[in-house]
Amino acid sequence: MSEEKQNIENTEVVDELPEDAAPAGDAAAERIAALENELATAKQDVLYAHAETQNVRRRLEKELADARAYSATAFARDILSVADNLGRALAAIPADLREDEKFKGLVAGLEATGRELDNVFGRNGISKLESVGQPLDPNKHQAMMEVPSADVEPGTVMVEMQAGYMIKDRLLRPALVSVAKKPD
């Protein structure tokens, strides 16, 4: 009899399990689903954070490279006026004084200084723009005046009043130019 009683009790327990287990199973399934959603959200957040970190690192590396490449920009702009004055001084020396024995040393020294300045510019990625005969490019030239001319196409640079310079691939200073226009 004790086996029968035990079977009956087991049957009752088995009969009660699905009814009682259903709400507990639903709660567990809901809890698992909520945890899976939280996990998916956390994984997504980690991926976004990782991508953002990579973007920040790349941006900083680019800024550092630009800072290295263009760190001398302000100094280069300032030294361009020295180069302009040296060029004007050389251009102002008349031909007869260039041949005079008293001034030959001075002229040779000024010309050597000009060549050395050009070499220093070249080593630092500073190059002079070629403007005369080129079409006006507002990204490289600043038109100071228009001159009527039938000899060249309108919009062509005729005279360069002040040289323009590039530092690597950036404009350091625009060339001040005179541009041709149609004759009146």
Side-chain angles (χ1 to χ4, degrees):
M1 189 113 176
S2 82
E3 281 182 35
E4 255 182 59
K5 188 176 180 184
Q6 199 173 18
N7 283 339
I8 291 173
E9 288 175 5
N10 284 342
T11 306
E12 290 174 4
V13 171
V14 171
D15 289 341
E16 291 175 11
L17 258 177
E19 294 169 6
D20 292 339
D26 287 344
E30 288 175 10
R31 179 74 176 137
I32 290 172
L35 289 173
E36 286 176 348
N37 285 339
E38 286 180 33
L39 179 62
T41 302
K43 282 182 180 179
Q44 194 66 28
D45 290 346
V46 167
L47 288 175
Y48 285 138
H50 183 65
E52 181 63 25
T53 303
Q54 285 180 331
N55 289 340
V56 168
R57 183 181 46 80
R58 283 188 201 120
R59 192 175 323 117
L60 289 176
E61 286 173 354
K62 184 183 181 321
E63 287 174 6
L64 181 62
D66 284 352
R68 285 183 184 140
Y70 302 108
S71 62
T73 299
F75 177 72
R77 277 195 190 105
D78 291 342
I79 207 73
L80 287 180
S81 64
V82 174
D84 292 339
N85 289 333
L86 182 61
R88 283 192 281 274
L90 283 168
I93 299 173
D96 59 330
L97 286 180
R98 286 179 182 267
E99 300 304 319
D100 189 348
E101 288 299 318
K102 292 180 184 177
F103 290 102
K104 267 191 176 180
L106 176 65
V107 171
L110 288 173
E111 288 173 343
T113 303
R115 284 190 302 274
E116 181 61 24
L117 190 57
D118 288 341
N119 289 338
V120 169
F121 282 171
R123 284 193 305 267
N124 289 284
I126 300 169
S127 58
K128 195 173 192 177
L129 292 174
E130 295 298 324
S131 298
V132 177
Q134 302 292 320
L136 179 69
D137 181 354
N139 296 315
K140 295 179 181 178
H141 306 125
Q142 183 175 345
M144 301 304 290
M145 62 181 171
E146 289 183 320
V147 176
S149 176
D151 299 336
V152 295
E153 283 286 317
T156 302
V157 174
M158 293 180 57
V159 178
E160 183 179 70
M161 294 170 227
Q162 185 179 51
Y165 288 87
M166 300 284 289
I167 184 166
K168 298 188 183 2
D169 60 343
R170 290 185 183 174
L171 183 67
L172 185 59
R173 180 179 78 183
L176 303 181
V177 297
S178 173
V179 182
K181 71 175 186 176
K182 289 183 182 178
D184 295 332

mmCIF file of all heavy atoms in Angstrom, residues 10-53:
data_model
loop_
_atom_site.group_PDB
_atom_site.id
_atom_site.type_symbol
_atom_site.label_atom_id
_atom_site.label_comp_id
_atom_site.label_asym_id
_atom_site.label_seq_id
_atom_site.Cartn_x
_atom_site.Cartn_y
_atom_site.Cartn_z
ATOM 1 N N ASN A 10 3.056 10.764 -6.328
ATOM 2 C CA ASN A 10 3.878 11.133 -7.483
ATOM 3 C C ASN A 10 3.014 11.630 -8.627
ATOM 4 O O ASN A 10 3.377 12.559 -9.330
ATOM 5 C CB ASN A 10 4.711 9.943 -7.964
ATOM 6 C CG ASN A 10 5.896 9.662 -7.055
ATOM 7 O OD1 ASN A 10 6.289 10.520 -6.273
ATOM 8 N ND2 ASN A 10 6.433 8.451 -7.153
ATOM 9 N N THR A 11 1.867 10.986 -8.821
ATOM 10 C CA THR A 11 0.949 11.408 -9.864
ATOM 11 C C THR A 11 0.455 12.801 -9.575
ATOM 12 O O THR A 11 0.383 13.636 -10.470
ATOM 13 C CB THR A 11 -0.234 10.437 -9.971
ATOM 14 O OG1 THR A 11 0.277 9.130 -10.153
ATOM 15 C CG2 THR A 11 -1.135 10.797 -11.124
ATOM 16 N N GLU A 12 0.132 13.053 -8.333
ATOM 17 C CA GLU A 12 -0.344 14.395 -7.980
ATOM 18 C C GLU A 12 0.752 15.425 -8.199
ATOM 19 O O GLU A 12 0.506 16.513 -8.691
ATOM 20 C CB GLU A 12 -0.812 14.406 -6.518
ATOM 21 C CG GLU A 12 -2.087 13.621 -6.306
ATOM 22 C CD GLU A 12 -2.454 13.528 -4.840
ATOM 23 O OE1 GLU A 12 -1.759 14.137 -4.007
ATOM 24 O OE2 GLU A 12 -3.421 12.847 -4.554
ATOM 25 N N VAL A 13 1.976 15.064 -7.842
ATOM 26 C CA VAL A 13 3.085 15.997 -8.033
ATOM 27 C C VAL A 13 3.304 16.220 -9.516
ATOM 28 O O VAL A 13 3.476 17.337 -9.968
ATOM 29 C CB VAL A 13 4.366 15.447 -7.362
ATOM 30 C CG1 VAL A 13 5.583 16.272 -7.735
ATOM 31 C CG2 VAL A 13 4.186 15.403 -5.863
ATOM 32 N N VAL A 14 3.239 15.150 -10.306
ATOM 33 C CA VAL A 14 3.416 15.279 -11.742
ATOM 34 C C VAL A 14 2.288 16.101 -12.329
ATOM 35 O O VAL A 14 2.501 16.926 -13.192
ATOM 36 C CB VAL A 14 3.500 13.896 -12.409
ATOM 37 C CG1 VAL A 14 3.464 13.999 -13.916
ATOM 38 C CG2 VAL A 14 4.748 13.175 -11.956
ATOM 39 N N ASP A 15 1.080 15.861 -11.844
ATOM 40 C CA ASP A 15 -0.047 16.623 -12.350
ATOM 41 C C ASP A 15 0.087 18.097 -11.984
ATOM 42 O O ASP A 15 -0.316 18.975 -12.734
ATOM 43 C CB ASP A 15 -1.369 16.068 -11.800
ATOM 44 C CG ASP A 15 -1.716 14.707 -12.418
ATOM 45 O OD1 ASP A 15 -1.145 14.406 -13.498
ATOM 46 O OD2 ASP A 15 -2.524 13.983 -11.832
ATOM 47 N N GLU A 16 0.655 18.370 -10.856
ATOM 48 C CA GLU A 16 0.763 19.761 -10.417
ATOM 49 C C GLU A 16 1.930 20.478 -11.090
ATOM 50 O O GLU A 16 1.906 21.677 -11.239
ATOM 51 C CB GLU A 16 0.954 19.800 -8.898
ATOM 52 C CG GLU A 16 -0.289 19.372 -8.143
ATOM 53 C CD GLU A 16 -0.049 19.309 -6.639
ATOM 54 O OE1 GLU A 16 1.009 19.799 -6.203
ATOM 55 O OE2 GLU A 16 -0.904 18.783 -5.948
ATOM 56 N N LEU A 17 2.962 19.759 -11.494
ATOM 57 C CA LEU A 17 4.152 20.379 -12.053
ATOM 58 C C LEU A 17 3.884 21.231 -13.302
ATOM 59 O O LEU A 17 4.275 22.371 -13.334
ATOM 60 C CB LEU A 17 5.187 19.309 -12.391
ATOM 61 C CG LEU A 17 6.328 19.168 -11.396
ATOM 62 C CD1 LEU A 17 7.251 18.035 -11.809
ATOM 63 C CD2 LEU A 17 7.068 20.426 -11.197
ATOM 64 N N PRO A 18 3.206 20.720 -14.303
ATOM 65 C CA PRO A 18 3.011 21.550 -15.485
ATOM 66 C C PRO A 18 2.225 22.808 -15.179
ATOM 67 O O PRO A 18 2.518 23.857 -15.723
ATOM 68 C CB PRO A 18 2.258 20.660 -16.453
ATOM 69 C CG PRO A 18 2.529 19.268 -16.019
ATOM 70 C CD PRO A 18 2.777 19.354 -14.551
ATOM 71 N N GLU A 19 1.257 22.742 -14.310
ATOM 72 C CA GLU A 19 0.470 23.933 -14.000
ATOM 73 C C GLU A 19 1.319 24.949 -13.260
ATOM 74 O O GLU A 19 1.286 26.143 -13.550
ATOM 75 C CB GLU A 19 -0.763 23.550 -13.160
ATOM 76 C CG GLU A 19 -1.760 22.700 -13.906
ATOM 77 C CD GLU A 19 -2.814 22.127 -12.982
ATOM 78 O OE1 GLU A 19 -2.835 22.486 -11.804
ATOM 79 O OE2 GLU A 19 -3.608 21.327 -13.471
ATOM 80 N N ASP A 20 2.071 24.463 -12.261
ATOM 81 C CA ASP A 20 2.897 25.374 -11.485
ATOM 82 C C ASP A 20 4.135 25.797 -12.271
ATOM 83 O O ASP A 20 4.623 26.898 -12.125
ATOM 84 C CB ASP A 20 3.341 24.709 -10.175
ATOM 85 C CG ASP A 20 2.164 24.500 -9.239
ATOM 86 O OD1 ASP A 20 1.155 25.200 -9.435
ATOM 87 O OD2 ASP A 20 2.280 23.661 -8.332
ATOM 88 N N ALA A 21 4.665 24.930 -13.083
ATOM 89 C CA ALA A 21 5.889 25.193 -13.819
ATOM 90 C C ALA A 21 5.644 26.165 -14.975
ATOM 91 O O ALA A 21 6.544 26.875 -15.378
ATOM 92 C CB ALA A 21 6.481 23.910 -14.346
ATOM 93 N N ALA A 22 4.472 26.208 -15.508
ATOM 94 C CA ALA A 22 4.185 27.072 -16.639
ATOM 95 C C ALA A 22 4.445 28.536 -16.306
ATOM 96 O O ALA A 22 5.168 29.210 -17.023
ATOM 97 C CB ALA A 22 2.776 26.854 -17.131
ATOM 98 N N PRO A 23 3.904 29.049 -15.209
ATOM 99 C CA PRO A 23 4.199 30.448 -14.910
ATOM 100 C C PRO A 23 5.689 30.648 -14.601
ATOM 101 O O PRO A 23 6.287 31.627 -14.998
ATOM 102 C CB PRO A 23 3.349 30.763 -13.692
ATOM 103 C CG PRO A 23 2.274 29.733 -13.675
ATOM 104 C CD PRO A 23 2.864 28.539 -14.350
ATOM 105 N N ALA A 24 6.293 29.714 -13.929
ATOM 106 C CA ALA A 24 7.714 29.843 -13.627
ATOM 107 C C ALA A 24 8.521 29.754 -14.918
ATOM 108 O O ALA A 24 9.512 30.460 -15.101
ATOM 109 C CB ALA A 24 8.137 28.757 -12.645
ATOM 110 N N GLY A 25 8.149 28.901 -15.837
ATOM 111 C CA GLY A 25 8.835 28.765 -17.129
ATOM 112 C C GLY A 25 8.670 30.021 -17.960
ATOM 113 O O GLY A 25 9.604 30.465 -18.610
ATOM 114 N N ASP A 26 7.473 30.604 -17.982
ATOM 115 C CA ASP A 26 7.243 31.844 -18.718
ATOM 116 C C ASP A 26 8.086 32.971 -18.132
ATOM 117 O O ASP A 26 8.687 33.752 -18.867
ATOM 118 C CB ASP A 26 5.765 32.245 -18.674
ATOM 119 C CG ASP A 26 4.909 31.345 -19.567
ATOM 120 O OD1 ASP A 26 5.490 30.639 -20.426
ATOM 121 O OD2 ASP A 26 3.673 31.377 -19.409
ATOM 122 N N ALA A 27 8.146 33.034 -16.827
ATOM 123 C CA ALA A 27 8.945 34.073 -16.175
ATOM 124 C C ALA A 27 10.421 33.874 -16.496
ATOM 125 O O ALA A 27 11.146 34.835 -16.775
ATOM 126 C CB ALA A 27 8.715 34.045 -14.664
ATOM 127 N N ALA A 28 10.865 32.633 -16.487
ATOM 128 C CA ALA A 28 12.259 32.347 -16.800
ATOM 129 C C ALA A 28 12.540 32.679 -18.268
ATOM 130 O O ALA A 28 13.572 33.261 -18.594
ATOM 131 C CB ALA A 28 12.572 30.884 -16.504
ATOM 132 N N ALA A 29 11.629 32.322 -19.149
ATOM 133 C CA ALA A 29 11.805 32.618 -20.565
ATOM 134 C C ALA A 29 11.820 34.126 -20.801
ATOM 135 O O ALA A 29 12.621 34.629 -21.591
ATOM 136 C CB ALA A 29 10.700 31.965 -21.386
ATOM 137 N N GLU A 30 10.958 34.835 -20.109
ATOM 138 C CA GLU A 30 10.939 36.297 -20.233
ATOM 139 C C GLU A 30 12.237 36.893 -19.710
ATOM 140 O O GLU A 30 12.804 37.814 -20.303
ATOM 141 C CB GLU A 30 9.741 36.879 -19.478
ATOM 142 C CG GLU A 30 8.407 36.622 -20.144
ATOM 143 C CD GLU A 30 7.237 37.120 -19.307
ATOM 144 O OE1 GLU A 30 7.467 37.836 -18.309
ATOM 145 O OE2 GLU A 30 6.099 36.789 -19.658
ATOM 146 N N ARG A 31 12.706 36.348 -18.604
ATOM 147 C CA ARG A 31 13.952 36.827 -17.997
ATOM 148 C C ARG A 31 15.124 36.545 -18.946
ATOM 149 O O ARG A 31 15.983 37.398 -19.153
ATOM 150 C CB ARG A 31 14.171 36.131 -16.642
ATOM 151 C CG ARG A 31 15.430 36.519 -15.941
ATOM 152 C CD ARG A 31 15.321 37.905 -15.361
ATOM 153 N NE ARG A 31 16.529 38.197 -14.615
ATOM 154 C CZ ARG A 31 17.171 39.339 -14.653
ATOM 155 N NH1 ARG A 31 16.675 40.326 -15.353
ATOM 156 N NH2 ARG A 31 18.260 39.515 -13.962
ATOM 157 N N ILE A 32 15.153 35.372 -19.557
ATOM 158 C CA ILE A 32 16.207 35.018 -20.513
ATOM 159 C C ILE A 32 16.143 35.950 -21.719
ATOM 160 O O ILE A 32 17.162 36.452 -22.182
ATOM 161 C CB ILE A 32 16.094 33.537 -20.930
ATOM 162 C CG1 ILE A 32 16.483 32.628 -19.757
ATOM 163 C CG2 ILE A 32 16.956 33.249 -22.151
ATOM 164 C CD1 ILE A 32 16.219 31.159 -19.994
ATOM 165 N N ALA A 33 14.941 36.192 -22.227
ATOM 166 C CA ALA A 33 14.781 37.087 -23.377
ATOM 167 C C ALA A 33 15.248 38.499 -23.028
ATOM 168 O O ALA A 33 15.932 39.158 -23.827
ATOM 169 C CB ALA A 33 13.333 37.102 -23.838
ATOM 170 N N ALA A 34 14.911 38.976 -21.828
ATOM 171 C CA ALA A 34 15.335 40.310 -21.398
ATOM 172 C C ALA A 34 16.858 40.370 -21.283
ATOM 173 O O ALA A 34 17.491 41.343 -21.714
ATOM 174 C CB ALA A 34 14.684 40.665 -20.063
ATOM 175 N N LEU A 35 17.440 39.328 -20.720
ATOM 176 C CA LEU A 35 18.899 39.285 -20.584
ATOM 177 C C LEU A 35 19.580 39.207 -21.954
ATOM 178 O O LEU A 35 20.621 39.836 -22.180
ATOM 179 C CB LEU A 35 19.323 38.111 -19.705
ATOM 180 C CG LEU A 35 18.987 38.249 -18.211
ATOM 181 C CD1 LEU A 35 19.312 36.952 -17.475
ATOM 182 C CD2 LEU A 35 19.735 39.413 -17.595
ATOM 183 N N GLU A 36 18.997 38.460 -22.884
ATOM 184 C CA GLU A 36 19.556 38.386 -24.230
ATOM 185 C C GLU A 36 19.487 39.742 -24.923
ATOM 186 O O GLU A 36 20.417 40.146 -25.625
ATOM 187 C CB GLU A 36 18.838 37.313 -25.051
ATOM 188 C CG GLU A 36 19.226 35.905 -24.658
ATOM 189 C CD GLU A 36 18.438 34.834 -25.405
ATOM 190 O OE1 GLU A 36 17.429 35.168 -26.078
ATOM 191 O OE2 GLU A 36 18.843 33.662 -25.322
ATOM 192 N N ASN A 37 18.372 40.454 -24.717
ATOM 193 C CA ASN A 37 18.248 41.801 -25.293
ATOM 194 C C ASN A 37 19.285 42.742 -24.683
ATOM 195 O O ASN A 37 19.908 43.536 -25.397
ATOM 196 C CB ASN A 37 16.844 42.364 -25.070
ATOM 197 C CG ASN A 37 15.825 41.733 -25.987
ATOM 198 O OD1 ASN A 37 16.177 41.180 -27.037
ATOM 199 N ND2 ASN A 37 14.562 41.796 -25.607
ATOM 200 N N GLU A 38 19.460 42.661 -23.372
ATOM 201 C CA GLU A 38 20.464 43.498 -22.709
ATOM 202 C C GLU A 38 21.863 43.164 -23.221
ATOM 203 O O GLU A 38 22.682 44.053 -23.445
ATOM 204 C CB GLU A 38 20.403 43.307 -21.197
ATOM 205 C CG GLU A 38 19.218 43.972 -20.527
ATOM 206 C CD GLU A 38 19.204 43.751 -19.023
ATOM 207 O OE1 GLU A 38 20.291 43.658 -18.410
ATOM 208 O OE2 GLU A 38 18.103 43.681 -18.458
ATOM 209 N N LEU A 39 22.120 41.868 -23.412
ATOM 210 C CA LEU A 39 23.420 41.436 -23.914
ATOM 211 C C LEU A 39 23.649 41.964 -25.333
ATOM 212 O O LEU A 39 24.726 42.460 -25.655
ATOM 213 C CB LEU A 39 23.526 39.911 -23.885
ATOM 214 C CG LEU A 39 24.823 39.316 -24.413
ATOM 215 C CD1 LEU A 39 26.008 39.780 -23.567
ATOM 216 C CD2 LEU A 39 24.740 37.801 -24.435
ATOM 217 N N ALA A 40 22.632 41.865 -26.179
ATOM 218 C CA ALA A 40 22.749 42.356 -27.556
ATOM 219 C C ALA A 40 22.984 43.867 -27.558
ATOM 220 O O ALA A 40 23.828 44.372 -28.318
ATOM 221 C CB ALA A 40 21.496 42.005 -28.349
ATOM 222 N N THR A 41 22.274 44.582 -26.690
ATOM 223 C CA THR A 41 22.455 46.034 -26.586
ATOM 224 C C THR A 41 23.863 46.362 -26.100
ATOM 225 O O THR A 41 24.522 47.259 -26.631
ATOM 226 C CB THR A 41 21.408 46.635 -25.632
ATOM 227 O OG1 THR A 41 20.102 46.309 -26.116
ATOM 228 C CG2 THR A 41 21.551 48.140 -25.534
ATOM 229 N N ALA A 42 24.323 45.618 -25.107
ATOM 230 C CA ALA A 42 25.671 45.845 -24.577
ATOM 231 C C ALA A 42 26.729 45.556 -25.649
ATOM 232 O O ALA A 42 27.698 46.307 -25.785
ATOM 233 C CB ALA A 42 25.907 44.981 -23.340
ATOM 234 N N LYS A 43 26.538 44.485 -26.423
ATOM 235 C CA LYS A 43 27.481 44.167 -27.499
ATOM 236 C C LYS A 43 27.503 45.295 -28.533
ATOM 237 O O LYS A 43 28.565 45.700 -29.001
ATOM 238 C CB LYS A 43 27.094 42.848 -28.178
ATOM 239 C CG LYS A 43 27.484 41.617 -27.404
ATOM 240 C CD LYS A 43 27.105 40.354 -28.177
ATOM 241 C CE LYS A 43 27.488 39.092 -27.428
ATOM 242 N NZ LYS A 43 27.104 37.891 -28.173
ATOM 243 N N GLN A 44 26.318 45.786 -28.884
ATOM 244 C CA GLN A 44 26.219 46.879 -29.855
ATOM 245 C C GLN A 44 26.912 48.133 -29.322
ATOM 246 O O GLN A 44 27.648 48.802 -30.049
ATOM 247 C CB GLN A 44 24.739 47.164 -30.172
ATOM 248 C CG GLN A 44 24.536 48.020 -31.386
ATOM 249 C CD GLN A 44 24.964 47.327 -32.661
ATOM 250 O OE1 GLN A 44 24.939 46.112 -32.783
ATOM 251 N NE2 GLN A 44 25.384 48.106 -33.631
ATOM 252 N N ASP A 45 26.703 48.439 -28.049
ATOM 253 C CA ASP A 45 27.344 49.601 -27.432
ATOM 254 C C ASP A 45 28.863 49.453 -27.432
ATOM 255 O O ASP A 45 29.590 50.411 -27.684
ATOM 256 C CB ASP A 45 26.835 49.810 -26.000
ATOM 257 C CG ASP A 45 25.389 50.287 -25.957
ATOM 258 O OD1 ASP A 45 24.868 50.713 -27.005
ATOM 259 O OD2 ASP A 45 24.786 50.209 -24.859
ATOM 260 N N VAL A 46 29.344 48.257 -27.180
ATOM 261 C CA VAL A 46 30.782 48.013 -27.198
ATOM 262 C C VAL A 46 31.327 48.202 -28.610
ATOM 263 O O VAL A 46 32.390 48.806 -28.800
ATOM 264 C CB VAL A 46 31.111 46.598 -26.651
ATOM 265 C CG1 VAL A 46 32.538 46.215 -26.947
ATOM 266 C CG2 VAL A 46 30.835 46.534 -25.162
ATOM 267 N N LEU A 47 30.601 47.714 -29.605
ATOM 268 C CA LEU A 47 31.046 47.892 -30.993
ATOM 269 C C LEU A 47 31.086 49.371 -31.377
ATOM 270 O O LEU A 47 32.036 49.827 -32.017
ATOM 271 C CB LEU A 47 30.132 47.118 -31.950
ATOM 272 C CG LEU A 47 30.267 45.597 -31.927
ATOM 273 C CD1 LEU A 47 29.215 44.960 -32.841
ATOM 274 C CD2 LEU A 47 31.660 45.165 -32.352
ATOM 275 N N TYR A 48 30.058 50.131 -30.992
ATOM 276 C CA TYR A 48 30.041 51.567 -31.273
ATOM 277 C C TYR A 48 31.191 52.272 -30.564
ATOM 278 O O TYR A 48 31.856 53.127 -31.138
ATOM 279 C CB TYR A 48 28.715 52.199 -30.848
ATOM 280 C CG TYR A 48 27.561 51.890 -31.769
ATOM 281 C CD1 TYR A 48 26.308 51.587 -31.271
ATOM 282 C CD2 TYR A 48 27.708 51.916 -33.163
ATOM 283 C CE1 TYR A 48 25.238 51.303 -32.106
ATOM 284 C CE2 TYR A 48 26.647 51.641 -34.003
ATOM 285 C CZ TYR A 48 25.412 51.339 -33.472
ATOM 286 O OH TYR A 48 24.359 51.071 -34.305
ATOM 287 N N ALA A 49 31.431 51.911 -29.300
ATOM 288 C CA ALA A 49 32.522 52.528 -28.545
ATOM 289 C C ALA A 49 33.863 52.202 -29.188
ATOM 290 O O ALA A 49 34.745 53.062 -29.300
ATOM 291 C CB ALA A 49 32.490 52.056 -27.091
ATOM 292 N N HIS A 50 34.029 50.974 -29.632
ATOM 293 C CA HIS A 50 35.272 50.567 -30.294
ATOM 294 C C HIS A 50 35.463 51.347 -31.601
ATOM 295 O O HIS A 50 36.566 51.837 -31.886
ATOM 296 C CB HIS A 50 35.260 49.063 -30.554
ATOM 297 C CG HIS A 50 36.515 48.538 -31.150
ATOM 298 N ND1 HIS A 50 37.717 48.554 -30.483
ATOM 299 C CD2 HIS A 50 36.755 47.994 -32.372
ATOM 300 C CE1 HIS A 50 38.641 48.045 -31.277
ATOM 301 N NE2 HIS A 50 38.091 47.701 -32.417
ATOM 302 N N ALA A 51 34.401 51.470 -32.379
ATOM 303 C CA ALA A 51 34.480 52.210 -33.647
ATOM 304 C C ALA A 51 34.799 53.684 -33.380
ATOM 305 O O ALA A 51 35.616 54.280 -34.081
ATOM 306 C CB ALA A 51 33.164 52.078 -34.417
ATOM 307 N N GLU A 52 34.174 54.252 -32.377
ATOM 308 C CA GLU A 52 34.425 55.650 -32.038
ATOM 309 C C GLU A 52 35.877 55.842 -31.590
ATOM 310 O O GLU A 52 36.534 56.805 -31.971
ATOM 311 C CB GLU A 52 33.462 56.114 -30.938
ATOM 312 C CG GLU A 52 33.633 57.562 -30.542
ATOM 313 C CD GLU A 52 33.344 58.542 -31.670
ATOM 314 O OE1 GLU A 52 32.580 58.195 -32.601
ATOM 315 O OE2 GLU A 52 33.876 59.658 -31.605
ATOM 316 N N THR A 53 36.387 54.903 -30.823
ATOM 317 C CA THR A 53 37.780 54.970 -30.379
ATOM 318 C C THR A 53 38.720 54.913 -31.576
ATOM 319 O O THR A 53 39.698 55.668 -31.643
ATOM 320 C CB THR A 53 38.081 53.808 -29.405
ATOM 321 O OG1 THR A 53 37.176 53.881 -28.306
ATOM 322 C CG2 THR A 53 39.506 53.868 -28.899
#
